[in-house]
Amino acid sequence: MSLNAAAPCIRGPASNPQLQSRKFFSFPLACRRRRCIRAAISLSTISSCSSFLARRSRDCIAFSASNDFPMDNSSLVVCFGEMLIDFVPTTNGLSLSEAPAFKKAPGGAPANVAVGIARLGGQSAFIGKVGEDEFGYMLADILKKNNVNSQGMRFDSGARTALAFVTLRNDGEREFMFYRNPSADMLLEEGELDFDIIRKAKIFHYGSISLITEPCKSAHVAAAKAAKDAGVLLSYDPNLRLPLWPSAESAREGILSIWDAADIIKINEEEISFLTRGENPYDDATVHKLFHPNLKLLLVTEGPNGCRYYSKDFNGRVHGLKVEPVDTTGAGDAFVAGLLSQLATDVSLLKDEDRLREALKFANACGALTVTERGAIPALPTKEAVLNALLNVIA
């Protein structure tokens, strides 16, 4: 790539071998402030986990258990990064201070993708950290109810689950105000990673928010390196959120620092303009500057106008579905979920333009249906809903 990106940081520190063999359960089974035990566990399990936790500098709850969802590893998509609570105003077109009420909605781009894939009938897992608080418990339960494997999820008693207040303009577009200083997702450590599930994935998906601060940045690098070394496809959605970065330049450098390691990248027009320092995002020549030699597929989403796709062998456009937008939160994540759910079962789509275009039509429909409801995860569609929407277009 010709954008003077920083050297890819995928070549991170080696993983901790003591942690690779350890199996973790993703939900807090016993907590000081909880009134119930979430699963039956043996005394030996409690003892071994307690001794492990005693050696840690942070109090992260992650007990062992055997009731995680079974996975078909041949089509597993592992999503790494943040999971949080979005507070979406019930009335569009108002500032945060003017909004009369907010709807609480689970979100976080990587978690959205994981749930989106599961809703579509695929196999997904989530790796990340939330607070040992009621919002964290709620998010863990949401993953469980949506059949997302969460054995890689961790809880931190020293930090809260991240919150984001989202302003919706009349056209459904968003502005964000974040509460995460620091939030639990920023404190995920390399030693807490479940490398076993990462290496079993067909696709490892992530964003750039986990690169902003340590220790999560090092955990991100180590996780991506482990996936790459295991032959797992790397899927990257930068998901630009400038207010979270120290500066625009640090955001640009951070996003590009891992650019050349990805096999699949999804960006939008705003991100193209940002990364190319103001060049025309609709010009193919501009987009080609972002194409690196090892990239298999570069996708540009354009909201209701669908998407563009670029590979070494072909490029083109697939039109989207026209809908009445209510809230665009999660639309890009739904698109990614729609595509990855199909690539995970048939990677050869990357080499067949006709079949790839069909997959992108499906992904566009996933994004379109998501904007018709408020919130990200609550609005993610099922496979049946997407197929019905596509049939109605044909009819």
Side-chain angles (χ1 to χ4, degrees):
M1 186 177 64
S2 60
L3 292 177
N4 300 317
C9 59
I10 263 331
R11 301 182 184 88
S15 59
N16 186 340
Q18 294 179 341
L19 271 295
Q20 292 178 23
S21 61
R22 191 180 295 272
K23 303 294 183 182
F24 291 106
F25 180 53
S26 56
F27 301 102
L29 302 180
C31 307
R32 293 186 299 274
R33 296 188 295 274
R34 299 294 277 176
R35 294 185 294 274
C36 64
I37 301 298
R38 293 203 174 211
I41 55 177
S42 67
L43 292 177
S44 61
T45 298
I46 296 175
S47 176
S48 63
C49 287
S50 297
S51 62
F52 168 67
L53 292 174
R55 296 194 298 270
R56 292 218 29 224
S57 59
R58 299 198 63 81
D59 182 17
C60 172
I61 306 301
F63 287 108
S64 172
S66 59
N67 59 339
D68 279 310
F69 297 105
M71 293 179 296
D72 175 8
N73 293 329
S74 64
S75 61
L76 175 66
V77 180
V78 174
C79 301
F80 174 94
E82 68 278 5
M83 189 174 192
L84 48 82
I85 303 292
D86 287 325
F87 285 90
V88 183
T90 56
T91 304
N92 288 4
L94 299 176
S95 68
L96 291 176
S97 62
E98 295 171 330
F102 295 85
K103 176 184 177 181
K104 178 181 63 179
N112 294 343
V113 173
V115 173
I117 289 169
R119 289 257 180 97
L120 295 169
Q123 297 283 336
S124 66
F126 174 74
I127 293 178
K129 183 183 273 192
V130 294
E132 187 193 336
D133 52 38
E134 290 302 314
F135 284 145
Y137 303 139
M138 185 194 88
L139 294 176
D141 287 340
I142 285 169
L143 293 181
K144 182 177 180 180
K145 290 175 182 176
N146 282 280
N147 297 322
V148 175
N149 183 289
S150 55
Q151 69 187 55
M153 192 175 190
R154 302 289 178 257
F155 293 79
D156 198 309
S157 63
R160 296 295 189 187
T161 301
L163 307 179
F165 286 82
V166 186
T167 300
L168 300 177
R169 301 199 305 256
N170 285 327
D171 60 2
E173 286 299 326
R174 306 150 296 157
E175 296 175 357
F176 293 88
M177 179 184 292
F178 294 95
Y179 287 81
R180 55 191 306 267
N181 189 34
S183 54
D185 61 289
M186 302 164 68
L187 301 175
L188 180 67
E189 300 173 11
E190 179 183 348
E192 297 172 291
L193 294 174
D194 189 322
F195 286 100
D196 184 53
I197 193 172
I198 291 171
R199 294 189 180 99
K200 289 178 178 177
K202 175 65 69 69
I203 300 172
F204 183 71
H205 176 73
Y206 49 87
S208 69
I209 290 175
S210 49
L211 295 170
I212 297 174
T213 59
E214 294 287 2
C216 189
K217 178 179 178 179
S218 292
H220 177 129
V221 170
K225 182 182 185 300
K228 192 77 169 180
D229 290 348
V232 179
L233 283 175
L234 301 188
S235 167
Y236 184 23
D237 177 2
N239 192 35
L240 177 64
R241 295 288 180 265
L242 272 179
L244 295 179
W245 292 85
S247 66
E249 190 57 35
S250 67
R252 189 177 292 107
E253 291 178 0
I255 289 170
L256 293 177
S257 70
I258 60 171
W259 194 267
D260 290 350
D263 298 293
I264 302 163
I265 297 176
K266 196 263 341 176
I267 50 178
N268 59 32
E269 310 104 300
E270 177 190 0
E271 289 160 347
I272 293 173
S273 181
F274 175 75
L275 293 174
T276 59
R277 300 180 184 273
E279 295 189 33
N280 181 4
Y282 302 99
D283 185 348
D284 285 347
T286 300
V287 177
H288 282 299
K289 292 181 180 181
L290 295 170
F291 201 97
H292 66 76
N294 297 319
L295 190 60
K296 295 177 174 62
L297 183 64
L298 177 62
L299 297 164
V300 180
T301 53
E302 298 180 349
N305 295 322
C307 67
R308 285 176 278 160
Y309 59 91
Y310 301 82
S311 78
K312 294 178 182 178
D313 302 317
F314 46 73
N315 64 81
R317 174 187 294 277
V318 177
H319 294 290
L321 299 183
K322 302 298 182 183
V323 296
E324 190 66 33
V326 173
D327 176 12
T328 59
T329 306
D333 302 326
F335 173 91
V336 172
L339 179 63
L340 296 187
S341 67
Q342 296 174 85
L343 280 178
T345 59
D346 188 1
V347 177
S348 67
L349 288 172
L350 294 171
K351 295 290 187 179
D352 187 327
E353 184 173 11
D354 289 339
R355 292 166 61 224
L356 177 63
R357 288 181 62 85
E358 290 302 314
L360 292 174
K361 288 179 184 177
F362 182 90
N364 282 341
C366 290
L369 291 178
T370 300
V371 308
T372 61
E373 297 182 34
R374 294 184 189 277
I377 286 178
L380 294 169
T382 63
K383 186 174 183 178
E384 181 182 11
V386 176
L387 293 177
N388 286 338
L390 291 172
L391 285 175
N392 289 336
V393 171
I394 296 173

